[in-house]
Amino acid sequence: ALARKLARHLGDAEVLTLDAYYHPQSHLSLPERAHLNFDHPDALDWGLLSSHLSALTRGEAIDEPLYLFDQHTRAPSTRRIEPAPIMIVEGILALHHSDVRQQLDLCVFVTTRDEECLRRRLERDIAERGRTRESVLEQYYATVWPMALQYVLPSREHANLAVSGEEPLDESVAAVLRALEIRRAATAGRDQPR
């Protein structure tokens, strides 16, 4: 929600979603795919994301994969993304991989209480991804929460700014916009931020 609202507010921004960079799993059956650990960093194609960020920085368009949550794999089609003055990379593991982090000018971490994360995940996965409550809870306790403890929460140390995921969204947007203005002022006369 924060990435989308920032992009709308900025107007000259494009959002890349980390979920699009899950490795394709079409070689596995749907039941096999459903039991993969999608919350471990190895589930993501970091090399492709890093190369896409590099291309966008050079002013080249990319073809972002499209991920099918109901199929647990990538779609055959892609989404064409043209370079924009501001590129927003969003996802719970966005600050995990050093090659990706090095290409980011401002790293923002959204903090939310564990209970609220679970409540939102249940709501989203049931309404938007066709999952059952039982399957969401099973996945949450088997992989989501353990991986959050091991990888997501520790990645906060790489953030330049932490905002609340429970306070009004406009407050978080304003905090990020202030941080961007400070960043722009600090880089005035040097290379523009990516």
Side-chain angles (χ1 to χ4, degrees):
L2 177 60
R4 289 188 303 270
K5 187 149 189 178
L6 277 169
R8 284 192 306 271
H9 184 82
L10 293 164
D12 57 355
E14 183 67 57
V15 177
L16 276 77
T17 179
L18 208 58
D19 288 346
Y21 290 88
Y22 282 124
H23 288 291
Q25 301 294 342
S26 55
H27 61 286
L28 299 174
S29 69
L30 186 55
E32 289 172 318
R33 288 182 233 158
H35 288 93
L36 293 173
N37 182 353
F38 291 99
D39 297 287
H40 191 283
D42 289 348
L44 295 158
D45 190 341
W46 295 103
L48 181 61
L49 175 60
S50 184
S51 69
H52 279 180
L53 289 172
S54 295
L56 289 163
T57 300
R58 291 189 306 269
E60 302 166 8
I62 61 147
D63 293 312
E64 181 186 59
L66 294 175
Y67 188 75
L68 304 170
F69 286 97
D70 62 335
Q71 297 297 310
H72 305 292
T73 194
R74 288 184 191 168
S77 56
T78 58
R79 178 175 78 108
R80 187 74 168 174
I81 298 179
E82 298 293 333
I86 297 175
M87 302 301 300
I88 300 170
V89 179
E90 72 82 22
I92 62 170
L93 288 166
L95 302 182
H96 171 74
H97 202 279
S98 62
D99 288 347
V100 170
R101 271 196 323 271
Q102 290 172 4
Q103 297 183 67
L104 305 176
D105 288 319
L106 179 66
C107 297
V108 179
F109 189 92
V110 180
T111 62
T112 307
R113 288 176 300 116
D114 309 335
E115 307 80 35
E116 181 62 11
C117 288
L118 175 57
R119 186 195 69 73
R120 290 178 183 178
R121 187 177 191 98
L122 279 163
E123 185 178 286
R124 180 200 66 195
D125 285 5
I126 292 168
E128 298 174 18
R129 299 181 179 174
R131 308 267 312 279
T132 65
R133 177 179 174 81
E134 294 74 26
S135 71
V136 175
L137 290 172
E138 178 185 334
Q139 182 185 36
Y140 187 84
Y141 291 113
T143 61
V144 175
W145 182 239
M147 297 300 99
L149 290 173
Q150 189 170 355
Y151 299 107
V152 179
L153 298 176
S155 73
R156 180 180 179 168
E157 73 181 56
H158 303 295
N160 306 105
L161 172 69
V163 298
S164 171
E166 297 182 71
E167 297 299 321
L169 187 55
D170 288 340
E171 290 181 20
S172 294
V173 169
V176 174
L177 292 174
R178 282 191 301 274
L180 283 172
E181 284 306 314
I182 291 167
R183 177 78 180 156
R184 284 180 177 154
T187 60
R190 295 187 302 191
D191 291 337
Q192 292 299 310
R194 293 181 289 274

